[in-house]
Amino acid sequence: MTDPVWPMLLGRFTWDSLPFVRAWHNPTTNELIAAAAGGIVVVSGIAVLVLITVLRRWRWLWTEWLTSLDHKKIGILYIVIALVMLARALVEANLMRLQQAVAVGNPGFVAPEHFAELFSTHGSIMIFFMAMPFLTGLINYLVPLQIGARDVAFPVLNAISLWLTAAGAALMMASLVIGRFSTGGWSGYPPFTEIGFNPGVGPDYWIWAVTLGSLASTMTGINIAVTIYKMRCPGMKLMRMPLFTWTSLCTAILMIFAMPPLTVATALLALDRYLGFHFFTNALGGNMMHYANLFWMFGHPEVYIVILPAFGIYSEVVSTFSSKELYGYKSLVIATMAIAVLSFTVWLHHFFTMGQSASINAAFGIATMAIGVPTGVKIYNWIWTMFRGEVRFTTPMIYALAFMMTFVLGGLTGIILAFPPLDYIVHNTLFLVAHFHNMLIPGTLYGLLAAYTFWFPKVFGYRLDERWGRISCLCWIVGFYLAFMPLYVLGASGMARRTQAVMETAYRPWLYMAEAGALILLCAFAALIVQLWVSIRRRGANDVFVGDPWDGRALEWSVSAPPPEFNFARLPHVDQAHWFYDAKRKYAPYAPPIAYHDIWMLRNSAVAPVIGIASGAATFGLVWHMWWLAIFGLIVIFAAVVARSFVRDTHRVIPASEVARIDESWREATARAQPVPREIETSPANQGLALVRS
């Protein structure tokens, strides 16, 4: 069963590559879990295909979504990918915590190699295929609306980025069904991922999935930066942009400069594995430290790639639900830029324990402490924004408040880790795991969930159920504290991270507490799904077509919910920051334009899905040494790019009469809607028109 099957066609595939076969021959709990995970992926995939077929939605799916170049639909698809991957990562986190809880003095139910796969996939998914797609989807959807543009600068490139991300996520899911994943962690360190130590397909899955994701993020960074620089509406100066747009711009710049080192690192690692190069081996001139430097030159800016957009989200949420202008706007902009610059100066603190000189460690320790200053500026500004404001404790606002308290605690532990001697003691313990999650869960995940709740009415035209939103929010908060605060105690007590079995019985109660927290986090995600289901069922009662349910400030609230394909019937002309917010108080912001004009929009294109599917096929072929499939995929990619270059009829016209019909129907609905005071803004009375207060 371990001999290759038709090697010329299927490469190094054997029947034992299938978890179902392994479970049949060796029905241990470990193998049954692997088979069940693979079975869920297969059954879910088949169920989706059958459902689409039964509903006869293939043509609709292809024409309306998969080939669309509309930045809004692309943003939604990014977020769908992120939520699917979040579900898998949460299940894996629960398996790891459950294994550690039961494996005190005994082996538990997950084998050491399988446990290593779990923490590798969990970390890789949460960073590359949950946080990155989620924030990219939000940026895609919101930035053109916030700057008064009709689309991003390069719509085709935008769609290709989406499909490359989808291909990388598909490789991650394929590793559950055929073969095994890497055991080298989310960072993929050699020698754990070198062919001499791990000749299987796992590291190759990791290499190509991450490479596809990093290429997509690089292109996204270029696209968003050019969009913000070049496509702002008249009067939208840089210092009039919303904070979310500012953080998106800094994030885009970080993507442009931080993702290439990761791409280079994975490419060189692939050369080591496929062609016998020795960039990172321990012999023939290789040096693993080159990989560590390349990876963390990406890795620490990556922390701020995923956190800066969340800072922008919190700025929008706190200002809106405090009914106040954001305190210290300029200082927040400067702090954002300072964080972006300083993020490139601290990468070495990720390997304080690897033998640098004391002077180098001291320099990077000081830089690490310095980056906390602009972050602290933001915390103070949000607090002062709330001070004497009319604070409404909606679900997004509760996420923001929980973030502020929890993030400060994580920052304090970060200062501890910035001291090289202290870091040396706890670097390889659960203390570091606790700190990392202490920053990323409230810093990123809470922000993404706050944005999901805050802008959902704008995206789909109806509000999410507030009750289930609060239940989910409470579970995320309680689950986080129970799951990760015990890890500080365990780490300070000496428990190593990535440990499959535990010999110290004193750790047992803390591990039980951590597992209880992980289960509550899983319940939080379940409540999020229930909230969506309930909201869809009650969408008629929660309709907010007018598009301004929260008395918003930025331009995205000045159009209908959901916005029309062209975003604005007439591009806005702004003369100050918060133009729409002030316009609601000074004059009629919903006055129709003097005249309507034809609007040119890009036609749908199949080039992006073709490139994405071909990229997935090519990299899958590279993983399994199916050279024919890899070559075929590359040829299809090249052919698709060449074929696209010959297409001349790339635009279509939305006639002025159609623009007028869509815009006037929205303005009529606005005129009929009853303004709703903030006290009942989460009730069915809210039709999307907030009562304006001076």
Side-chain angles (χ1 to χ4, degrees), residues 147 228 232 236-243 245-246 329:
I147 64 174
I228 296 173
R232 302 190 306 277
M236 180 65 74
K237 298 179 180 179
L238 287 174
M239 295 307 290
R240 291 176 181 171
M241 296 193 308
L243 243 297
T245 300
W246 262 112
Y329 171 86

Side-chain angles (χ1 to χ4, degrees), residues 361-373:
N361 281 353
F364 280 86
I366 292 169
T368 302
M369 296 179 207
I371 205 169
V373 175

Side-chain angles (χ1 to χ4, degrees), residues 264-349:
V264 170
T266 56
L268 297 181
L269 185 58
L271 289 173
D272 274 12
R273 290 183 60 84
Y274 283 81
L275 297 177
F277 283 48
H278 293 278
F279 289 109
F280 309 128
T281 60
N282 291 324
L284 299 176
N287 190 337
M288 178 264 168
M289 286 305 300
H290 294 325
Y291 182 91
N293 276 289
L294 281 170
F295 184 85
W296 289 112
M297 284 174 67
F298 143 81
H300 200 82
E302 167 67 11
V303 172
Y304 292 98
I305 286 173
V306 298
I307 283 182
L308 282 180
F311 287 170
I313 292 162
Y314 293 129
S315 297
E316 303 290 335
V317 167
V318 169
S319 176
T320 299
F321 291 114
S322 298
S323 306
K324 278 182 64 180
E325 183 178 348
L326 198 59
Y327 180 86
Y329 171 86
K330 290 184 180 179
S331 63
L332 280 169
V333 171
I334 294 170
T336 301
M337 292 189 288
I339 289 171
V341 172
L342 288 172
S343 70
F344 284 99
T345 68
V346 297
W347 80 88
L348 196 133
H349 73 213

Side-chain angles (χ1 to χ4, degrees), residues 89-102:
L90 281 172
V91 172
E92 290 173 335
N94 269 271
L95 275 175
M96 286 189 288
R97 288 288 165 258
L98 184 59
Q99 162 65 22
Q100 289 182 323
V102 302

Side-chain angles (χ1 to χ4, degrees), residues 3-325:
D3 294 328
V5 181
W6 301 323
M8 287 295 293
L9 185 64
L10 299 181
R12 47 181 170 169
F13 172 81
T14 67
W15 290 116
D16 277 344
S17 300
L18 299 175
F20 321 108
V21 175
R22 296 197 301 268
W24 178 266
H25 289 142
N26 182 27
T28 62
T29 304
N30 180 71
E31 295 296 350
L32 291 173
I33 289 172
I40 290 171
V41 172
V42 172
V43 171
S44 300
I46 293 174
V48 170
L49 296 177
V50 170
L51 182 63
I52 296 171
T53 303
V54 169
L55 296 176
R56 298 181 179 179
R57 302 295 268 176
W58 282 109
R59 182 181 295 276
W60 169 83
L61 188 64
W62 179 257
T63 57
E64 293 293 324
W65 289 92
L66 302 184
T67 60
S68 176
L69 300 182
D70 184 349
H71 71 95
K72 298 182 289 297
K73 291 181 178 178
I74 289 173
I76 292 169
L77 290 174
Y78 265 118
I79 294 171
V80 169
I81 293 171
L83 291 174
V84 171
M85 302 306 283
L86 174 60
R88 175 182 169 182
L90 281 172
V91 172
E92 290 173 335
N94 269 271
L95 275 175
M96 286 189 288
R97 288 288 165 258
L98 184 59
Q99 162 65 22
Q100 289 182 323
V102 302
V104 180
N106 68 79
F109 58 89
V110 174
E113 184 175 340
H114 191 183
F115 189 83
E117 290 178 51
L118 287 173
F119 67 67
S120 299
T121 52
H122 172 78
S124 300
I125 285 173
M126 288 299 285
I127 294 295
F128 297 112
F129 299 106
M130 194 292 292
M132 292 296 286
F134 209 138
L135 70 89
T136 302
L138 290 170
I139 292 171
N140 252 288
Y141 197 100
L142 294 169
V143 164
L145 287 166
Q146 289 196 334
I147 64 174
R150 299 208 191 280
D151 209 324
V152 294
F154 309 117
V156 176
L157 187 68
N158 197 28
I160 293 172
S161 300
L162 166 70
W163 278 92
L164 290 180
T165 301
L171 278 183
M172 296 292 299
M173 300 305 284
S175 68
L176 276 176
V177 180
I178 173 171
R180 302 176 186 269
F181 196 70
S182 174
T183 56
W186 83 278
S187 54
Y189 272 177
F192 301 111
T193 51
E194 285 286 356
I195 197 159
F197 292 88
N198 194 339
V201 298
D204 298 321
Y205 267 126
W206 182 86
I207 287 169
W208 298 117
V210 169
T211 299
L212 290 173
S214 65
L215 289 173
S217 295
T218 304
M219 291 189 290
T220 295
I222 295 169
N223 208 347
I224 296 301
V226 174
T227 299
I228 296 173
Y229 282 135
K230 293 294 186 179
M231 300 189 69
R232 302 190 306 277
C233 67
M236 180 65 74
K237 298 179 180 179
L238 287 174
M239 295 307 290
R240 291 176 181 171
M241 296 193 308
L243 243 297
F244 180 77
T245 300
W246 262 112
T247 56
S248 299
L249 175 59
C250 290
T251 298
I253 294 170
L254 289 177
M255 286 179 178
I256 294 168
F257 289 100
M259 302 311 294
L262 175 64
T263 308
V264 170
T266 56
L268 297 181
L269 185 58
L271 289 173
D272 274 12
R273 290 183 60 84
Y274 283 81
L275 297 177
F277 283 48
H278 293 278
F279 289 109
F280 309 128
T281 60
N282 291 324
L284 299 176
N287 190 337
M288 178 264 168
M289 286 305 300
H290 294 325
Y291 182 91
N293 276 289
L294 281 170
F295 184 85
W296 289 112
M297 284 174 67
F298 143 81
H300 200 82
E302 167 67 11
V303 172
Y304 292 98
I305 286 173
V306 298
I307 283 182
L308 282 180
F311 287 170
I313 292 162
Y314 293 129
S315 297
E316 303 290 335
V317 167
V318 169
S319 176
T320 299
F321 291 114
S322 298
S323 306
K324 278 182 64 180
E325 183 178 348

Side-chain angles (χ1 to χ4, degrees), residues 543-601:
D543 181 82
V544 289
F545 175 62
V546 176
D548 184 27
W550 315 127
D551 192 17
R553 293 176 172 269
L555 290 178
E556 76 268 24
W557 304 109
S558 68
V559 295
S560 64
E565 179 187 4
F566 45 80
N567 290 351
F568 302 93
R570 176 181 179 272
L571 293 181
H573 291 242
V574 303
D575 55 10
Q576 60 181 339
H578 311 299
W579 173 83
F580 175 62
Y581 186 82
D582 292 334
K584 289 184 290 186
R585 284 150 177 79
K586 295 178 181 177
Y587 48 87
Y590 299 111
I594 297 173
Y596 293 97
H597 302 282
D598 295 346
I599 296 176
W600 290 75
M601 301 296 294

